[in-house]
Amino acid sequence: MTRQDVAVVGGGLAGITAALRLADAGRTVTLFEAKPWLGGLTHSFRRGELDVDNGQHVFLRCCTAYRSLLDRLGVTEQTHLQERLDIAVRQPGAGAARLRRNGLPAPLHLGGALFGYGLLNPMQRLRFTKAALAMKALDRADPALDGRSFGDWLREQGQDAQTVRAMWDLVGLATLNVPADEASLALAAMVFQVGLLTDNDAADIGWSRVPLRRLHGDAGERALAGAGATVRTGTRVDAVLPGKNGFTLRVRDDEELTAAQVVLAVPPAAAHKLVPEIGSGPEHLGTSPIVNVHLVVDRPVLDEPFVAGVGTPIQWVFDRTESSGLAASRPGAQYLAVSLSAAAEFVDLPVAKLRDLLFPDLEALFPELPEATVVDFFVTRERTATFRGSPGSQEFRLPARTPVTDLFLAGAWTDTGWPATMEGAVRSGDTAADAALGASTVDIRAGRPAGAGPQRRQGVPA
Ligand SMILES: Cc1cc2nc3c(=O)[nH]c(=O)nc-3n(C[C@H](O)[C@H](O)[C@H](O)COP(=O)(O)OP(=O)(O)OC[C@H]3O[C@@H](n4cnc5c(N)ncnc54)[C@H](O)[C@@H]3O)c2cc1C
């Protein structure tokens, strides 16, 4: 039996962050991850000549904790962050528009873009502006917000179907991953207030220029090793048993270890199953799927880094030609990743059916597509991509501190105030690590009061 100082269970972004912060603070950390790689829901696989991400991921400039993690991992330059929010928007049958912010303070930064936004008429733009100001004024500290649906609130604000499609859903579907009618108003207020209505540069969009596995999993493993942590991939933790002097962890049936503290950074149902004493809630959080459709064509059909679709299931289309390696292996061809959030109606459809369903809209969005030859078309499905941020979901999101002494929770599903995002995951990892550091009275390795030991590199700021 081996005594660990801190065991972190789960190697997604939350677990990587918590483990790194604890290791940076001088703790002896072992990170256990069931899969053969780190990165959790952000990962990549090889398909022929392509490095394919399980799903397109974006972040915003306001994702400060996530961006600090990228810095800590030394991979910021492997991402691209827009200098100014700039979204090309296309609606089949209705034309194209652009949402580009200016340099004015929020919310005036979107005024010019809205004025010229051809997918709404002047009356719809006016009503949207009034609703956006009402959204800015919502009090996020009011617990009643989580009891209401975002869709109800939009109707109350006089937002018609086209305004919801062309403005609110554009941001809301991708970040909340449930339709407005099924989304908590509290989470919607969080997204729109922090992302769009407070700081003028908050919504500048960023994305990875390399496969996600390289950005998060591989870089995480390197950083953790550098910080002195032990990473055990392919190692499922089957039991975490609280005892008088810390915890016993049962790993892969035949191995037992002890730990003074444990951070559980696994999905909600798994956390509840491993240690039911954390309390009821996580097992009631539903899940929502995301589907990505991957399209390789023999010539360029998209001349932007990405485009957003309106009035079509095709929500966001990213050009992944460079990041997937296709540019080198097949010059002149293009690889598009098509993201479908809140994809309950698509997740079980066969590939051929999805292709029949989506192709007319793809051809409407990309006029050069009918002339191109489709080299590859495949689908990735993440059935439990996010927790379901529906009205009332807040009570099921538990805080980092649990009723079990020295057991802490992390994960995008925990009580971060954020929807299920990379930012939420990283924040939760920071919070759990801080709670673990704050709860410990003794530096277990050295027998000194906690905090007295040498502080290595500062971790990710909370
Ligand atoms: C297709 C897709 C697109 C997305 N797009 C975006 C986006 O554009 N922007 C954004 O911000 N977010 C996006 N997200 C959400 C984001 O990826 C997640 O919120 C975040 O990665 C969750 O991280 P996590 O560490 O909380 O959980 P996870 O990534 O789920 O990590 C939990 C880990 O625990 C491991 N585990 C479980 N049980 C055990 C056990 N018993 N022992 C050991 N290990 C265990 C799992 O294998 C997993 O690796 C997207 C998600 C998906 C799936």
Side-chain angles (χ1 to χ4, degrees), residues 8-16 32-35 37-42 54-59 63 66 174 177 216 232 235-239 265-267 270-271 274 290-292 339 341 380-382 384-386 410-413 419-426 428:
V8 177
V9 184
L13 287 172
I16 293 172
F32 298 93
E33 166 54 48
K35 296 197 181 116
W37 63 82
L38 295 187
L41 286 168
T42 66
N54 66 316
Q56 177 63 44
H57 279 66
V58 302
F59 60 94
C63 295
Y66 172 72
N177 199 29
H216 298 150
R232 294 189 57 183
T235 309
R236 169 173 294 279
V237 173
D238 293 318
V266 297
L274 276 173
I290 298 178
V291 169
N292 269 235
S339 193
S341 295
T380 49
R381 307 161 201 265
E382 290 287 354
T384 55
T386 67
W413 65 273
T421 51
M422 299 189 288
E423 175 71 6
V426 173
S428 78

Side-chain angles (χ1 to χ4, degrees), residues 436-459:
L437 290 168
S440 177
T441 49
V442 174
D443 178 323
I444 289 145
R445 288 181 316 160
R448 294 183 302 243
Q455 294 282 308
R456 289 214 286 275
R457 279 188 67 167
Q458 283 296 303

Side-chain angles (χ1 to χ4, degrees), residues 236-241 248-253 255-256:
R236 169 173 294 279
V237 173
D238 293 318
V240 176
L241 306 167
T248 302
L249 277 74
R250 199 163 298 136
V251 172
R252 284 178 171 165
D253 294 338
E255 197 182 342
E256 279 199 353

